Amino acid sequence: MYNFKKIEKKWQEYWEENNIYKAKDDYSLPKEYNLVEFPYPSGVGMHLGHIKAYIGMEVLSRKQRLEGKNVLFPIGFDSFGLPAENYALKMGIHPKIVTKENEANFTRQLKRAGFSFDYSRIFSTTDPEYYKWTQWIFCKLYEKGLAYKDHTYVNYCPNCKVVLANEDSQGGKCDRCDSDVIQKEKDVWFLKITAYADKLLEGLNEVNFPDRVKIEQENWIGKSTGAYVNFTVKETDDKLKVYTTRPDTLFGVTFMVLAPEHPLIDKNKDKISNMEDINNYRLEAQRKTEFERINLVKDKTGVKIDGLTAINPVNNKEIPIYISDYVMMGYGTGAIMAVPAHDERDYEFAKKFGIDIIEVIKGGNIKKEAYTKDGEIINSEFLNGINNKKEAINKIVKYLEEKGIGEKAIQYKMKDWAFNRQRYWGEPIPIIYCDKCGTVLVPEEELPLKLPELKEFKPGPDGESPLANATDWVNCKCPKCGGPARRETDTMPQWAGSSWYYLRYTDPHNDKELASPEKMKYWMNVDVYNGGTEHITRHLIYSRFWHRFLYDIGAVNTKEPYQRRTTIGLILGSDGQKMSKSKGNTVNPDDVIDAYGADVLRCYTLFMGDYGAEAPWNDQGVNGISRFLNRIYRLADHVVEGSNYTEKFETIINKTIKKVSEDIDNLKYNTALSELMKLVNAYYEEETITKADFRVLLVLLYPFAPHLAEELNEKKNLGEVICKSSWPKYDSEKVIDQEKEIAIQVNGKVRDTIKVPNDASKEEHEEKAFASEIIKKWTDGKEIIKVITVPGRIVNIVVK
RNA sequence: GCUUGUGUGGCGGAAUUGGUAGACGCACUGGACUCAAAAUCCAGCGAUAGCGAUAUCAUGUGGGUUCGAGUCCCACCACAAGCACCA
């Protein structure tokens, strides 16, 4: 086995000394910006997932540099957030110190794996010089009315004692600790991402994201169109406003349902005779965990509100009002008009409570179930006879608008981004509360608002932020009136720093702006952004929102940050299960590098399978890659003088250049490597190969196994160091084999093969095909109906 | 429940986009080298029948379109991911 330890260290030093990783601010060069999701530097160091996530862009970047492109391939650290703090709590060291140690360790590991990041651009989200601009963006959002404080029910993790955004509590579980999330009434800072819902949807049209990513984001945003309808409440002057996507069924409404928290109830409690029942129900609903709510879908519960009656504005019918937890305060208006004949949930509720069911759309059997499809409208006065849903909706909405009892409306599932966390290790929110002036921004010249040094940074028992203890820091002067004031003690969520980091890479040490406009103009957009699927409805949405906001205020010049998004598949344990410490199926990349070298680790993670699909780790597979690289190492002994390709290899070399080049661009690394293996196998068929033959193999190998490629190139004196050379070009005339093997079918079944020159005519194919003894055997005595010949592909003879 | 994927040898996976299914690698079997082992090299390797040339079957299941289907269409099954009472 070759001495990879010596070789790899040597070349890593050479590359770094020669600055080959550095992106140049030379705007005349064609640029490529390849981005990977920067890591949270955990104490245990890098795992295989990091390697796989980075190696894809790494190979692409190394190739593009040889193609003469100015490549920005940066790395940094996303070091704020709960995990860093929990780790620091556990180890009893200040998060700042722990973070810096971990970052240093990560950097060492990255270099050891041979990653060609531009290390001169490293920064951490925890650097005050960086989070100054995170805070600045918050200020801009606040100035534009897109950051606001509200006292409301929010997702809250009782274990982490922290408020969570919707995106942090998908499936009703806390993203961090998997505890059941509860709804808690809190003071919450929100970012008005819903104001950008449409822009986020539109933006998807101009980017190259996989369909899956687009669909998931569309679903998460969850746009629906319908109408608001104002019902009157008979006993009061109040209107009861509902949102519906089916205003065409308005004549089928037989009851109304309010969310348990709906304000109409408390407002009219004097008029309600069963307030006690209602309050009991509300308490019970609040106690239910998300899990129970989901699993009790079929079992509808609720209470009728005695004393309040709604009136249907289209026919003045009196209808009862219920409360039920199947209606949620957070969507629409927190109240619905129930049409049991044509909505499954309303149907179940009506059946359970014995409420009338009025059919207004023909076509189903409402005695058995709700009918939710299209049909002719009946029992609906002026809508009767319409057979088309769209038409009916248009007509009724027009009617509602004319009468002033309703209007067209749009709703989104996405909610505003709950933005404050009751934690120490995050960016302080630059807000000051003054008794006289109210809520005031920290002035721009005072940014960064630095985190105060604190010894005790555990959150309070009821979720108070640890920053509240830093009294010297909390008590301050109001920037407006100079009077006594207090600082906001909550910090930003961990997603804040990662929402704009790709901009900072273009100009990481700028102390005057978040990045210089010229540099952003040159480098943006990110050309390829590679990362995990878990961020599709989190980081990827948030950063698209911030970027679009920055565009709207003129801070950046593109609407979307990422031109192309690619996703990576997980590396599973050798048992096919997700790698986890508890299962004992983890593999430490450092161990692999120790045993086989970085080049083997790099190639193996790419050869395992499709880059976008998950695949199990296999130690013997690693060994196979090691064998492959050693085979190349030994191939050096077969090299003889010669500046031309060996004639026999001309075609395969050109083919390989073509395939490897295309495969890298398409992120199909596994087949690129198999192509290189084929070339090596072909070389071994001859006693000798020329220097030119060997050199082209090494250059193609270089993005994958750069250390070995450079070493052999130097050892055999084949030319300039590869990192300063150029990517080989292929001759498109030479990628075609001179002679091709063609299958001959009889009735669609392959019976024989023939060899024809690559430019053979149709007639030549058929002539040769019919000359075959085997084909004669299959066609003799049969009637030939037709012959299908695709030159270069196939000859199919149809007989009867 | 809804949405989106995926399903190919013992295993990871290829397949020019409708044209010789199983490239490449792993594992395995036999052989060479060696005192021996490792490493390396050579040969074989979907299933069934046959000494063999060869034949039949075979890409989750069942149907269809086509000269020809892993690839297109319909139905079903299994697994994975995402969403989840969104009115």
Side-chain angles (χ1 to χ4, degrees), chain A residues 175-425:
Chain A
D175 239 18
R176 281 288 145 224
C177 71
D178 219 31
S179 304
D180 281 328
V181 168
I182 60 165
Q183 298 298 305
K184 194 167 176 164
E185 224 177 339
K186 297 274 288 180
D187 275 330
V188 182
W189 276 100
F190 286 102
L191 296 191
K192 212 170 186 171
I193 190 170
T194 51
Y196 274 74
D198 266 324
K199 286 178 176 174
L200 290 172
L201 280 175
E202 283 163 23
L204 289 175
N205 294 326
E206 55 183 78
V207 292
N208 174 12
F209 288 8
D211 283 345
R212 178 189 165 188
V213 174
K214 287 191 183 185
I215 289 164
E216 263 185 49
Q217 292 207 343
E218 278 165 14
N219 290 345
W220 185 256
I221 294 166
K223 183 178 184 173
S224 84
T225 48
Y228 290 131
V229 184
N230 288 308
F231 286 66
T232 44
V233 182
K234 190 176 124 192
E235 294 81 357
T236 75
D237 297 331
D238 290 322
K239 295 278 180 212
L240 179 51
K241 188 177 181 181
V242 300
Y243 172 72
T244 178
T245 53
R246 297 296 304 274
D248 54 320
T249 61
L250 197 46
F251 289 92
V253 176
T254 56
F255 60 102
M256 312 291 286
V257 187
L258 307 185
E261 309 93 331
H262 199 283
L264 191 80
I265 302 165
D266 280 326
K267 200 177 162 205
N268 295 292
K269 57 181 169 223
D270 317 339
K271 299 193 179 74
I272 299 171
S273 58
N274 61 337
M275 207 50 210
E276 200 176 323
D277 290 348
I278 286 171
N279 280 332
N280 284 340
Y281 182 80
R282 291 161 109 187
L283 276 174
E284 205 183 303
Q286 224 181 69
R287 262 204 308 273
K288 272 191 200 173
T289 63
E290 197 81 15
F291 179 81
E292 286 170 311
R293 285 180 74 145
I294 290 163
N295 284 278
L296 294 174
V297 166
K298 288 268 175 291
D299 194 20
K300 294 277 178 292
T301 59
V303 179
K304 183 166 181 286
I305 302 176
D306 290 330
L308 295 182
T309 318
I311 294 175
N312 190 332
V314 288
N315 59 9
N316 292 320
K317 261 198 188 170
E318 293 193 3
I319 32 190
I321 307 176
Y322 289 77
I323 63 166
S324 172
D325 62 4
Y326 86 88
V327 173
M328 279 153 305
M329 202 55 227
Y331 184 79
T333 62
I336 62 157
M337 56 175 233
V339 185
H342 307 292
D343 181 281
E344 281 167 28
R345 294 148 303 177
D346 298 347
Y347 190 86
E348 281 158 28
F349 194 88
K351 278 284 175 191
K352 183 158 175 185
F353 288 84
I355 308 168
D356 290 349
I357 299 172
I358 300 174
E359 184 178 36
V360 290
I361 291 170
K362 252 183 170 168
N365 178 5
I366 62 150
K367 290 216 171 71
K368 259 176 66 194
E369 59 188 1
Y371 179 69
T372 54
K373 293 181 194 138
D374 261 1
E376 187 192 332
I377 296 190
I378 51 168
N379 299 327
S380 299
E381 302 181 12
F382 59 88
L383 293 178
N384 284 342
I386 298 176
N387 225 323
N388 174 301
K389 193 158 112 186
K390 242 186 187 163
E391 191 189 330
I393 290 175
N394 284 340
K395 189 161 179 183
I396 185 75
V397 169
K398 203 174 156 209
Y399 176 85
L400 293 172
E401 284 175 348
E402 275 168 6
K403 298 269 174 182
I405 48 177
E407 62 189 319
K408 196 175 171 185
I410 289 167
Q411 285 290 326
Y412 302 94
K413 284 194 214 173
M414 185 169 66
K415 292 178 184 153
D416 279 342
W417 177 4
F419 196 66
N420 53 326
R421 301 291 181 271
Q422 297 69 42
R423 285 286 178 158
Y424 173 65
W425 195 231

